[in-house]
Amino acid sequence: KPEADNDLAAGAKAMKARFAAERKLVTVPPDPAEVAKLASGYANAALGEIAVTKGEKAVFDFGEFKSEVASRQNPDGTVSFITTVPGFSGLEFVAGNADGKRTLIFRDPQHEYVLREKSVN
């Protein structure tokens, strides 16, 4: 129906404005000081492993796919790393520490997964 055209245009404009506002909070490539704090690998029994490559760009390797990540300083003082690869962009991992190990926390609407630093053998 013709009246849907206005709703669609307004929705697209709002989405574009939201993306632009969120983009201003994200650092690409990620903050090198924050990347340096990452472990070289993380693991979670349910999610598997993430290998981290550090350099000019930071890459999270999930096994099935890899993604460069951006960083974001959150209002609560934590730092998030966000995937940027098309098809899987926007996956957020909050860096932290627990029990003396570095962690990445991934949340979905119903779960919180803690990926713990892998021990280097």
Side-chain angles (χ1 to χ4, degrees):
K1 295 182 179 184
E3 58 268 15
D5 290 340
N6 289 336
D7 290 345
L8 182 61
K13 183 177 180 181
M15 183 171 39
K16 185 175 181 180
R18 187 179 77 239
F19 286 156
E22 289 175 11
R23 176 63 185 95
K24 289 179 183 178
L25 302 174
V26 176
T27 304
V28 180
D31 182 336
E34 297 300 335
V35 170
K37 296 176 187 176
L38 290 169
S40 61
Y42 296 85
N44 173 279
L47 298 182
E49 298 182 2
I50 299 174
V52 178
T53 303
K54 304 177 201 181
E56 193 173 305
K57 299 177 182 179
V59 176
F60 283 13
D61 184 343
F62 299 91
E64 292 78 19
F65 73 96
K66 297 178 184 180
S67 177
E68 291 181 14
V69 294
S71 63
R72 181 181 67 217
Q73 191 73 38
N74 298 315
D76 65 0
T78 60
V79 173
S80 292
F81 291 93
I82 303 161
T83 57
T84 60
V85 67
F88 290 98
S89 64
L91 299 178
E92 180 177 355
F93 296 84
V94 181
N97 287 286
D99 303 322
K101 295 257 185 183
R102 290 173 280 190
T103 61
L104 291 175
I105 298 173
F106 175 76
R107 295 179 177 98
D108 69 22
Q110 297 178 345
H111 305 92
E112 178 176 281
Y113 299 96
V114 179
L115 294 105
R116 298 189 187 287
E117 175 181 0
K118 288 178 56 178
S119 299
V120 177
N121 296 330

